[in-house]
Amino acid sequence: MGDFGRAQPSVLHDTVMPYAGKLIATNRKEPVSNLNQTDQEREMHDRTWRFLIAAHSRDWLFDGSVELQRTRIGPARDFRYTTERYYAWLRSTTYQSSTTRYNTVGRHILADLDTVPATFLSICAVLEVDRQRRIAVAELGTIEPEVADNVAARQIENQWHIDWFVRALNYRYDSYAYALDHLLAETPHEQSMGVDEQLRRMRPWADRANQGDFCSSNSGSGGGHGVTIPSRFQTMVYDKEVVLPK
């Protein structure tokens, strides 16, 4: 990790670890594809990346574990994440005012709300690519069995990544809700009303993700196709808005 929690380009993380991860995943008898990545798949990975880590509070989202999971060196570990970690990080961070913690939670939720619509659109685009692949394999008579197996493996990999994003979105919502409840018990303040409203706006996105509803017409409010997005190597602009501890 580099400054501002950015993942720095490196031979180790971008070549060595993914190569080793494919070998390890193959030994675990998991589906492994070697298809070229489509633009839609690359965009989905870029957009979902910020939901899998938290550059503003790297400890509570287990960035090291995320990297092992991303490169498939280790199996999925996010199932073990517990919701109190975000509040523990928030509570142990020193601020001049206790109300600043409400501001911090509110800004983190807002960052998610600002980016989740376009993330849904990118997932929808990948689902369409996989649908087109299934049609091509079924209708074209020139597709070799090994290619069809490769296509099936890529579809499973994409679905695993989408499922990971869904778990991450739920984990964020649950962590914010846990933090807000405990802030109300520890340092009650009227600012909780604004944070609660932002949390209420986030709930439908989590519900739709749980239902696999990424392609409804209102999924893209505030986002759209054709937008140039940063890769995971670039700083997410929203994290810069986080109130820093004094």
Side-chain angles (χ1 to χ4, degrees):
M1 300 295 291
D3 57 340
F4 302 105
R6 292 181 294 188
Q8 296 189 75
S10 73
V11 174
L12 175 63
H13 288 274
D14 302 320
T15 303
V16 177
M17 290 178 68
Y19 177 78
K22 285 188 175 183
L23 294 178
I24 294 172
T26 300
N27 289 334
R28 290 198 300 259
K29 308 299 182 183
E30 295 176 355
V32 176
S33 71
N34 60 8
L35 298 178
N36 288 324
Q37 192 178 54
T38 65
D39 293 343
Q40 294 90 337
E41 288 167 333
R42 184 175 298 107
E43 179 173 349
M44 180 184 73
H45 282 265
D46 283 343
R47 288 197 181 277
T48 56
W49 179 251
R50 71 165 305 280
F51 288 92
L52 307 180
I53 65 168
H56 51 265
S57 52
R58 62 180 61 183
D59 180 60
W60 76 276
L61 260 177
F62 311 89
D63 288 0
S65 177
V66 166
E67 184 66 357
L68 293 176
Q69 185 169 335
R70 180 188 73 85
T71 57
R72 302 185 69 178
I73 290 178
R77 298 172 183 238
D78 61 286
F79 295 98
R80 307 175 187 175
Y81 294 178
T82 52
T83 55
E84 77 278 0
R85 288 184 64 90
Y86 176 68
Y87 177 66
W89 167 82
L90 194 68
R91 188 173 186 271
S92 63
T93 302
T94 303
Y95 293 97
Q96 288 186 340
S97 170
S98 61
T99 61
T100 306
R101 291 187 176 87
Y102 287 101
N103 292 335
T104 300
V105 177
R107 287 192 170 107
H108 291 171
I109 298 173
L110 181 60
D112 290 347
L113 288 172
D114 284 343
T115 54
V116 73
T119 304
F120 269 50
L121 283 177
S122 69
I123 293 173
C124 181
V126 169
L127 293 174
E128 175 60 20
V129 167
D130 282 337
R131 186 187 72 85
Q132 294 174 3
R133 283 176 173 145
R134 289 194 296 270
I135 293 174
V137 169
E139 296 186 357
L140 298 176
T142 58
I143 303 298
E144 297 86 354
E146 59 270 20
V147 176
D149 291 343
N150 215 349
V151 167
R154 174 57 59 86
Q155 291 173 359
I156 293 174
E157 290 173 337
N158 284 338
Q159 189 58 54
W160 282 355
H161 191 88
I162 293 169
D163 292 344
W164 189 10
F165 163 75
V166 173
R167 295 194 301 270
L169 186 62
N170 278 281
Y171 179 63
R172 282 172 176 264
Y173 176 85
D174 292 341
S175 295
Y176 297 145
Y178 182 98
L180 180 58
D181 289 346
H182 286 73
L183 283 174
L184 282 169
E186 185 172 4
T187 56
H189 195 274
E190 62 183 9
Q191 278 185 304
S192 63
M193 297 175 63
V195 178
D196 184 65
E197 172 60 20
Q198 290 178 325
L199 198 60
R200 185 193 64 78
R201 291 170 54 204
M202 187 177 180
R203 180 71 259 179
W205 292 104
D207 289 340
R208 291 176 58 181
N210 291 331
Q211 297 164 7
D213 178 14
F214 300 103
C215 299
S216 294
S217 59
N218 62 344
S219 291
S221 58
H225 289 297
V227 178
T228 302
I229 63 172
S231 73
R232 68 185 184 87
F233 302 124
Q234 295 176 273
T235 304
M236 298 305 295
V237 63
Y238 307 99
D239 289 333
K240 294 180 179 179
E241 297 180 350
V242 175
V243 177
L244 298 176
K246 302 297 183 182

